[in-house]
Amino acid sequence: MIPGRPTRRDPKSGDLFAITMNGLGLLTGRVVGVHLEGCHAPMPDCHLVYIYDSVTDEPICDPEDERLMPSRLAIGPAFVNRLLWSKGFFRTVTEAELKRHYLLRTPVFRLMQELVDDCGNAYDGPVDGPVGTWGLMSYSYLDDRLSERFNLPLAPS
């Protein structure tokens, strides 16, 4: 991921953001949860984001674009903190209302060797999208997951 201009604005549910991937182009993501607490996040004050598989030259700004649906996720749902925006790795491109059809029916995460739902409870139901990680993703870990997904070389450690 290549950092751009940092932002001080807090992300809001429904926001679309752009990520510049070195050697690839732009990816688009959507904020689906902000300042999550309690059972809804592995750590206090996390944000939950989706990142989609469409590679573009310009940011996708239409929240209804078919390339921004749950079936088009590049990786599983990701818990992140505000640092990705304040360091410029995520750049908000559109503020939008978060609608139900933008979301997975049940987001599923991996916690050690077990699958859990969006409250951290054991889950053994159907999985309708990629599985996320029940933990806060650093920007280097997120960069590695996206690089693996798009067959890009990993950044040096």
Side-chain angles (χ1 to χ4, degrees), residues 92-157:
T92 301
V93 295
T94 303
E95 293 180 34
E97 177 185 349
L98 185 63
K99 296 181 180 176
R100 182 74 194 132
H101 67 275
Y102 300 157
L103 304 175
L104 293 167
R105 280 188 297 268
T106 303
V108 178
F109 304 89
R110 185 166 306 286
L111 175 62
M112 305 254 201
Q113 301 301 317
E114 162 174 59
L115 295 180
V116 297
D117 65 14
D118 58 350
C119 274
N121 300 314
Y123 182 77
D124 64 357
V127 176
D128 65 340
V131 174
T133 299
W134 186 260
L136 185 68
M137 282 197 178
S138 68
Y139 55 86
S140 61
Y141 184 80
L142 182 59
D143 183 59
D144 286 351
R145 298 299 69 77
L146 291 170
S147 295
E148 289 170 352
R149 168 62 175 79
F150 291 99
N151 297 312
L152 299 171
L154 299 181
S157 300

Side-chain angles (χ1 to χ4, degrees), residues 14-78:
D15 283 359
L16 298 181
F17 58 90
I19 304 167
T20 303
M21 293 295 295
N22 193 18
L24 186 67
L26 292 179
L27 298 176
T28 301
R30 187 188 312 266
V31 180
V32 296
V34 294
H35 303 293
L36 300 173
E37 301 285 340
C39 77
H40 296 286
M43 296 180 67
D45 209 28
C46 288
H47 306 307
L48 185 60
V49 299
Y50 291 175
I51 299 172
Y52 301 96
D53 64 3
S54 291
V55 179
T56 60
D57 293 326
E58 296 293 323
I60 300 172
C61 296
D62 177 5
E64 294 291 332
D65 191 299
E66 65 184 23
R67 295 171 291 179
L68 304 181
M69 294 299 146
S71 62
R72 299 291 304 268
L73 291 177
I75 60 173

